[in-house]
Structures are given as C-alpha cells and as structure tokens.
C-alpha cells in the first residue's frame, strides 16, 4: 500500500527514517524510542531495537509514493499552465469581441443621430425617449505639437533589478536589496 500525505509529509518521514538509521549506530533502543515517537507508532523501533525489514519496506513505500506524487503534481502544473494559456486566449478573444460590440454600438449611435437630425424625440407607442445633448470633448489631433504646459508627465519609479544584480555581484552593498537563489521548474 502507498503512503498518504503531502510531499512535505513524505519528506518529513524520510528525514525521520534517516535520523533513526543514523542514530541507531550510537543510541540505545530506549533513546531512539524517546527521540522518534512517530517511528515507535509505526512499529519501526521498539525497546527491542529497530525493525530493519519494516524500515526498508516503509522506505520503499515512501519513495514510491513520492515518485507518484511528484509525477501527479507535475501533470497538474502542466494542466494549470495550459488553462492559464487558454484563459489568456479567451480574454483576448473576449476583448476583441467587446471592441466589435463597442464599435457597432458607436456606429449605431451615429446612424441614429443622423436619422433623427440630432433632435430629441419620443418614439410613439413605446417607452423609448431619445435625448440628444451637446457635449464638448477634447480631441488630440497631434500630441507632439501640444505646448509643454498641456502635457502631463507620468513618473514611475521602479527598481532597476539588472543594475542592482550587477552591483551586488560586483561586491557593492545595495541597501534594501539582496540576491536570492531561486529554483525554477520547467515541465515538458
């Protein structure tokens, strides 16, 4: 039978078993029982010593379970990555559809305004009332020709991670930043 639990649980059990095997060389059975109560519960150690056959069997089950869980988690990561891609494509498709609907609505508004000669009307035998109002909107025809006083400058400060990494790698102390080692995963 396989061992249930998370990868963390399996790793903890493997660490415990490694400790039992390592410590059994210099600890008494009683000391082992005191240090490893979980191993006692599993019947791996007792006052009579360690049960090497049971430990070997349990180790095999742990490694088999870990292999299965690693494989399943990797498959699930791939599935989520595929879903993420699918959702991104659907967002693009829906955004394009939204733009199509918006363009159609705007065209119909212009069409209707032209049809009613830009006059407010009430449609007979319906609850529809079309109100035309005048509004003013600025249309920028050539942004590069605008005087500077009519230009808003948006300043966005962001850390320059490339420069920071280079500086720290060269031994320069950069307060507020450090280089950390990351492990990245690629599933193919």
């Amino acid at each position: 039978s396989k061992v249930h639990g998370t990868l963390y649980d399996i790793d903890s059990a493997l660490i415990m078993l490694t400790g039992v095997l390592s410590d059994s060389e210099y600890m008494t059975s009683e000391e082992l029982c005191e240090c490893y109560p979980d191993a006692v519960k599993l019947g791996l150690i007792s006052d009579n010593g360690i049960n090497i056959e049971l430990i070997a069997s349990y180790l095999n089950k742990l490694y088999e379970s870990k292999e299965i869980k690693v494989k399943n988690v990797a498959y699930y990561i791939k599935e989520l990555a595929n879903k993420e891609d699918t959702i991104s494509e659907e967002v693009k498709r829906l955004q394009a559809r939204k733009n199509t609907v918006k363009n159609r609505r705007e065209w119909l508004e212009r069409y209707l305004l032209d049809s009613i000669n830009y006059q407010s009307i009430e449609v007979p035998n319906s609850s529809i009332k079309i109100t035309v109002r005048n509004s003013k909107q600025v249309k920028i025809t050539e942004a590069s020709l605008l005087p500077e006083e009519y230009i808003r400058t948006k300043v966005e400060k962001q850390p320059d991670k490339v420069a920071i990494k280079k500086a720290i790698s060269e031994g320069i102390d950069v307060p507020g930043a450090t280089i950390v080692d990351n492990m990245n995963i690629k599933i193919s």
Side-chain angles (χ1 to χ4, degrees), residues 11 21 40 78 81 89 93 95 107 120 123 129 131 138 144:
D11 284 341
L21 292 172
V40 173
K78 280 182 79 168
E89 289 303 312
R93 188 190 69 74
Q95 188 62 47
W107 182 88
S120 296
V123 178
K129 181 178 180 182
T131 307
V138 174
S144 62

Side-chain angles (χ1 to χ4, degrees), residues 3-17:
V3 179
H4 297 283
T6 66
L7 286 169
Y8 296 124
D9 296 334
I10 293 170
D11 284 341
S12 292
L14 287 168
I15 290 168
M16 176 199 59
L17 287 178

Side-chain angles (χ1 to χ4, degrees), residues 33-155:
C33 289
E34 192 176 306
C35 286
Y36 299 101
D38 290 339
V40 173
K41 288 178 193 170
L42 293 169
L44 303 175
I45 53 177
S46 67
D47 290 338
N48 298 330
I50 63 171
N51 185 334
I52 205 72
E53 285 135 17
L54 195 54
I55 288 177
S57 172
Y58 192 60
L59 274 171
N60 284 335
K61 288 178 188 177
L62 285 171
Y63 283 120
E64 287 172 9
S65 291
K66 184 171 183 172
E67 185 179 310
I68 291 167
K69 285 199 182 294
V70 165
K71 179 181 74 174
N72 288 340
V73 169
Y75 281 138
Y76 188 55
I77 289 169
K78 280 182 79 168
E79 181 183 327
L80 290 176
N82 289 336
K83 281 183 182 181
E84 184 179 350
D85 292 343
T86 301
I87 291 169
S88 293
E89 289 303 312
E90 185 67 5
V91 166
K92 287 179 195 171
R93 188 190 69 74
L94 288 172
Q95 188 62 47
R97 178 77 177 122
K98 176 186 171 189
N99 289 337
T100 300
V101 169
K102 178 183 176 221
N103 290 340
R104 183 69 175 162
R105 177 191 50 82
E106 288 173 349
W107 182 88
L108 284 169
E109 286 174 353
R110 288 190 306 275
Y111 169 74
L112 185 60
L113 277 170
D114 287 343
S115 300
I116 61 173
N117 293 319
Y118 297 88
Q119 302 293 318
S120 296
I121 65 165
E122 257 185 72
V123 178
N125 299 323
S126 92
S127 60
I128 295 177
K129 181 178 180 182
I130 301 169
T131 307
V132 178
R133 61 180 170 79
N134 194 10
S135 66
K136 301 209 181 286
Q137 176 183 6
V138 174
K139 181 178 180 181
I140 306 299
T141 56
E142 187 67 46
S144 62
L145 298 177
L146 294 171
E148 195 61 37
E149 70 251 25
Y150 300 111
I151 302 293
R152 267 190 296 190
T153 304
K154 194 175 189 179
V155 177

